[in-house]
Amino acid sequence: IRRLAEEDPGIVRVVSVRTMHLGPHDVLVSLGAVFAGQSRSDVEQSIVRVRRRLDDQHPGLLDITFEPVSRQPPPQGSQ
């Protein structure tokens, strides 16, 4: 899942991949990713491309959610 997402030109880096297995072939996926595009449209296009590739490669994925992550590291001392 991480590799497929990071192969998309609109994703700079996948920060996290979380899955929840509801059954042998039913999986929920949450991806935290840094997107290359700054506009909402750019991010949406990346999400659509990645969802299509994941659906093609892994038909058991029930729901795929994306969490855009900032390119900037959090300020020191905040956790």
Side-chain angles (χ1 to χ4, degrees):
I1 292 172
R2 179 183 297 272
R3 180 183 53 81
L4 286 176
E6 287 183 336
E7 287 175 353
D8 188 82
I11 293 184
V12 175
R13 178 171 50 99
V14 172
V15 176
S16 64
V17 177
R18 294 182 183 97
T19 60
M20 179 183 291
H21 297 254
L22 302 176
H25 304 288
D26 300 328
V27 181
L28 302 176
V29 177
S30 175
L31 288 171
V34 177
F35 289 88
Q38 296 298 309
S39 74
R40 180 179 177 166
S41 177
D42 291 341
V43 171
E44 287 175 345
Q45 289 173 15
S46 296
I47 290 171
V48 167
R49 286 192 304 266
V50 171
R51 276 195 173 134
R52 283 187 186 139
R53 290 199 63 208
L54 288 171
D55 285 341
D56 289 345
Q57 301 271 333
H58 303 284
L61 301 179
L62 294 179
D63 188 26
I64 306 163
T65 61
F66 290 79
E67 178 184 351
V69 177
S70 174
R71 291 174 182 251
Q72 303 298 322
Q76 287 189 348
S78 68
Q79 291 196 5

